[in-house]
Amino acid sequence: MMDFDPKLYENVAINDADVRNIVLSYLVHNCFKETAEAFISCTGMNQPANYLVDMDLRKSIFIFAMEGNALKAMELTEHLTPNLLEEENDLRFDLLSLHFVDLLSSRKFTEALEFAQTKLAPFGKSPKYMQKLEDFMALLAYDEPDCSPMFHLMRSDYRQTIADNLNQAILARVNLPSYSSMETLIQQTTVVTQCLHQELGKVLEEVDERCCA
């Protein structure tokens, strides 16, 4: 990644209000309610309309998903955004798979097998889920599933990904941004930096060719 001389942008004006809005967007997106309230209070910002809408419930859903209590997360999701999981099959599969993994983690192998047969197996009608189903079923072959080649499916970062996806889907359903302004800004900055790096590489290649000609 390119390093830019700070002198190139040290005189660029930055609107403090924009910075505060970016920070608040991040706090709201990630359900940091108390911090968001304190931030608004200490900065004197006007409280955005509906910024706290369902934040507590979203936070509970996220926590339940992170803890592996997927059924409770699904129940609350249905309460907050009816029919979302019926329409988002990928998300529903991921949450059901979290419950399956939680059963395995609790060494409830018989219950896990029954759950897989009744709740996960129907997804096998679609080819897109076959590989995932095979990976999850492979966990059943081990007395210690967390020692299997598919152990990553039992790790917290896997739950984190699903919890993040669920949070984004809920935000989109209630007409709020799926990504915080900070995340979007970082993504845009990364893309711009990569493009500039590529262009610089082309320029340097042309210079080398001219020097060697």
Side-chain angles (χ1 to χ4, degrees):
M1 185 173 291
M2 296 175 62
D3 292 324
F4 294 100
D5 185 347
K7 293 180 180 179
L8 295 176
Y9 49 80
E10 63 182 4
N11 293 322
V12 176
I14 297 177
N15 190 313
D16 288 342
D18 290 339
V19 175
R20 289 194 291 268
N21 285 329
I22 289 173
V23 173
L24 181 60
S25 169
Y26 177 82
L27 296 175
V28 171
H29 179 88
N30 291 286
C31 303
F32 298 135
K33 181 179 179 180
E34 293 79 9
T35 306
E37 291 175 330
F39 183 73
I40 289 175
S41 177
C42 72
T43 58
M45 296 177 65
N46 292 324
Q47 180 171 312
N50 300 324
Y51 91 105
L52 288 179
V53 172
D54 299 319
M55 189 186 297
D56 289 333
L57 190 52
R58 275 200 301 117
K59 184 174 183 178
S60 295
I61 292 171
F62 184 88
I63 291 174
F64 280 127
M66 280 297 299
E67 292 176 345
N69 192 346
L71 297 186
K72 187 62 178 180
M74 294 176 72
E75 176 187 335
L76 294 180
T77 298
E78 178 62 22
H79 175 74
L80 177 58
T81 52
N83 301 320
L84 172 64
L85 296 179
E86 290 300 319
E87 299 169 8
E88 299 288 343
N89 283 333
D90 290 352
L91 197 51
R92 182 158 54 93
F93 176 85
D94 286 339
L95 287 165
L96 290 173
S97 71
L98 279 189
H99 180 64
F100 173 77
V101 168
D102 185 58
L103 291 174
L104 291 180
S105 298
S106 302
R107 302 301 186 263
K108 298 178 180 179
F109 297 112
T110 300
E111 189 175 343
L113 178 58
E114 293 175 350
F115 181 82
Q117 292 173 334
T118 57
K119 299 298 184 180
L120 294 180
F123 285 90
K125 297 177 182 179
S126 174
K128 67 182 292 187
Y129 296 108
M130 285 304 299
Q131 185 58 57
K132 282 188 174 182
L133 282 171
E134 291 176 3
D135 291 344
F136 282 111
M137 292 305 100
L139 293 171
L140 282 170
Y142 294 82
D143 292 333
E144 299 294 334
D146 48 355
C147 295
S148 76
M150 297 294 111
F151 74 95
H152 64 278
L153 297 173
M154 306 185 72
R155 291 174 50 175
S156 61
D157 52 351
Y158 179 74
R159 296 194 299 273
Q160 174 83 51
T161 298
I162 295 176
D164 285 338
N165 290 341
L166 178 57
N167 186 46
Q168 291 168 5
I170 291 173
L171 286 168
R173 179 56 64 95
V174 297
N175 297 317
L176 290 174
S178 296
Y179 294 90
S180 69
S181 299
M182 187 177 296
E183 291 172 302
T184 301
L185 181 61
I186 292 174
Q187 291 170 342
Q188 293 172 341
T189 301
T190 300
V191 171
V192 170
T193 302
Q194 290 174 343
C195 290
L196 289 174
H197 182 71
Q198 292 173 356
E199 290 301 317
L200 178 60
K202 293 178 182 179
V203 171
L204 293 177
E205 287 180 2
E206 292 177 359
V207 172
D208 288 341
E209 291 175 356
R210 291 174 183 174
C211 291
C212 295

